[in-house]
Amino acid sequence: GAVVSQHPSRVICKSGTSVKIECRSLDFQATTMFWYRQFPKQSLMLMATSNEGSKATYEQGVEKDKFLINHASLTLSTLTVTSAHPEDSSFYICSASYSPTEAFFGQGTRLTVV
Amino acid sequence: GQNIDQPTEMTATEGAIVQINCTYQTSGFNGLFWYQQHAGEAPTFLSYNVLDGLEEKGRFSSFLSRSKGYSYLLLKELQMKDSASYLCAVRDDGGYQKVTFGTGTKLQVIP
């Protein structure tokens, strides 16, 4: 099956710094990738749709200047959390698909801002 | 917009059958997914329905009724390892075909 790799799996950063999370489709090309955030005991909330070669489409309530998304190639999308604060601590997950019948998820990144 | 509802928690006995329901009201529809998620891990794919009816895959089956905006996931011969959250997700029919998740159902399997 298709593999989506996300890196890092865990990161701890100081308040006010920025963190970059990478999402790669290892064996297929993904024109579109999705970024989700999941708080403890809650479901996945779609943050934005990452489009190769164009600007990301953000969901209502998600600050585009805080969560920078770049989809530089058909196999790589990055999410940068800028000026992170403790309330940004969460589980961030990306997904990608090459067919309409399945969406593949990365392993997730647990971000802790101290 | 998308509105997807599932029960928050369910408990079932090992070896039994459990049905997890999902209802949705969405602005567009192009398929419904079920995912399993263990605590602290990423979701794993279970099933996909785009046409009405029942899809069976081993111990797991998923049903869809598009006219009713309703789906269920049926788990048979429950095992302790089936204790997890089960997420219902709907793909819309827009240009990017976004997948939006329901609140998830936490299933606890007891001996």
Side-chain angles (χ1 to χ4, degrees):
Chain A
V3 178
V4 176
S5 177
Q6 193 172 333
H7 178 80
S9 58
R10 292 179 181 272
V11 58
I12 301 173
C13 71
K14 291 185 178 180
S15 185
T17 62
S18 296
V19 175
K20 179 184 284 189
I21 303 170
E22 293 187 348
C23 179
R24 295 180 183 272
S25 54
L26 296 186
D27 50 3
F28 66 98
Q29 294 183 331
T31 306
T32 303
M33 293 185 179
F34 301 96
W35 286 96
Y36 294 85
R37 178 168 55 183
Q38 186 175 35
F39 290 107
K41 299 184 179 181
Q42 296 186 23
S43 190
L44 281 70
M45 299 298 296
L46 180 64
M47 297 176 65
T49 303
S50 172
N51 311 301
E52 188 268 336
S54 64
K55 292 182 179 180
T57 305
Y58 289 83
E59 294 300 299
Q60 191 173 8
V62 178
E63 299 175 60
K64 61 180 181 181
D65 294 330
K66 180 170 184 64
F67 298 99
L68 302 179
I69 292 173
N70 183 276
H71 198 142
S73 74
L74 286 171
T75 58
L76 173 64
S77 175
T78 60
L79 168 68
T80 301
V81 183
T82 63
S83 187
H85 288 93
E87 58 265 30
D88 298 324
S89 298
S90 186
F91 193 46
Y92 293 86
I93 308 177
C94 69
S95 78
S97 64
Y98 63 85
S99 81
T101 61
E102 193 165 352
F104 303 95
F105 284 84
Q107 304 94 319
T109 298
R110 183 157 308 281
L111 170 64
T112 303
V113 185
V114 298
Chain B
Q2 315 283 55
N3 187 26
I4 304 169
D5 290 315
Q6 305 176 234
T8 305
E9 294 182 342
M10 298 182 71
T11 302
T13 305
E14 188 177 15
I17 299 173
V18 70
Q19 177 174 312
I20 302 174
N21 296 324
C22 172
T23 58
Y24 62 91
Q25 300 92 38
T26 59
S27 56
F29 180 84
N30 193 21
L32 186 144
F33 298 87
W34 283 96
Y35 284 86
Q36 179 190 62
Q37 185 180 28
H38 286 98
E41 299 180 9
T44 55
F45 172 81
L46 291 178
S47 68
Y48 173 77
N49 296 67
V50 68
L51 300 177
D52 292 348
L54 187 68
E55 295 278 344
E56 297 186 73
K57 192 182 292 186
R59 293 190 300 114
F60 295 76
S61 302
S62 57
F63 171 84
L64 175 68
S65 169
R66 289 171 295 172
S67 62
K68 295 181 179 179
Y70 168 70
S71 172
Y72 67 73
L73 179 70
L74 194 70
L75 292 76
K76 303 177 184 177
E77 302 171 14
L78 279 173
Q79 302 175 8
M80 299 300 290
K81 67 178 182 180
D82 297 329
S83 293
S85 288
Y86 291 85
L87 310 178
C88 170
V90 173
R91 184 195 294 276
D92 71 23
D93 58 0
Y96 299 124
Q97 301 207 357
K98 295 187 302 185
V99 177
T100 303
F101 283 80
T103 50
T105 299
K106 186 175 181 180
L107 173 66
Q108 183 180 14
V109 180
I110 58 176

